[in-house]
Amino acid sequence: MSGHVRTALISTAGHCKVACGFCFRADRAHGFLDTRTYTRTLSRLKETGVDGVCLTGGEPTHHPHLRQLVRLAHQFGMSVSMVTSARTVTDVITLSHVADLLANVTVSADSEGAMLLGRTTRTVASGIDTLRAISTETRILHVTCWDLSDGECRALAGLVTGAGVEVQFSPVVLDEHALRREGMSLQEYPARQLLDAEVLEHYFDLSDRYRGHLDELRDLQLPGEGERRQCRSATAYVSADGLIRRCPYGRASVDVHAPRAEIGRFLTDPAQDRVTPDCAAICRPSAPLDARSSTPAERRAACPHEHGTGPSRLPGPDR
């Protein structure tokens, strides 16, 4: 299968005030993506056939020239999406000023257990309030799940139905250090994810892709499960310092200031990276699921591919 890149996830800021305890961002630093570097990036991406970008962070609403970033992408004929944790009045106002220019907006939230684990305050209710405040046609709530209860899922279903937004779920992904900190074994960890999926299924239809994703994470975490598969993602990653990778965790990269031919080869040749638990958590198929609603309104759950915070409706990779 061709490894040709079709979309790009762009980090507009190297830092984020939320600082989730379970964050698996590959690069964390201070500063923002320079507008000139960003413009050059868009030009090189367009030359290789990329037609959509997703702005992420850090926190994209903190970028001082966010509206300019969105408009520049449109000038190159690209659709623009965004993943954000915007909650403060200032952040939500900034988001609302560009919302009409975005194909979709994904607002990140955490379950009660995930908030406790990651020391965050990104509640589902506050995420829905942010989505209600913007005019983007497609509004998506992305919920990172850990240690779910039936009552919490019932309340979540009611909130989503009343708000008229789409919802995506992803499990918390912990590395070996985090597992030791939580006192969990490699066997208990995937079992917790499966239990959460079972509770979710009482109120949302989870697709076979979601179950398959949990299986993949389990196989990647457990030793002796065979050779890791080669990455075949169709989404590139651009860091806030202007490096293009085929995977946020990939070792190979090319600078946006490199010659055109070098960038072109990097984006059109098959990726050489192998799939890891971290990259599998933020780069996977993203498709709407069949809805089962216990109320008149439709509810949809989807398996997101970013990132984390992850990107919203950009086409997901095939692995």
Side-chain angles (χ1 to χ4, degrees), residues 7 20 45 64 83 102 111 146-147 180 208 213-214 240 270 279 319:
T7 57
C20 304
L45 292 174
V83 176
L102 300 173
S111 71
W146 184 256
D147 199 16
R180 287 195 299 269
D208 291 340
H213 172 61
L214 296 183
C279 72
R319 285 200 190 90

Side-chain angles (χ1 to χ4, degrees), residues 8 21 24 64 106 176 200 241 289 294-297 301:
F24 41 74
T106 297
E176 292 184 9
L200 277 174
D241 58 2
L289 311 183
S294 58
T295 65

Side-chain angles (χ1 to χ4, degrees), residues 28 34 48 65 67 87 89 134 183-185 224 234 240 250 291 306:
R28 306 184 200 184
D34 178 74
T48 59
H65 306 297
R67 189 172 181 85
R87 293 296 197 281
V89 172
I134 61 176
M184 298 191 72
S185 70
E306 179 140 133

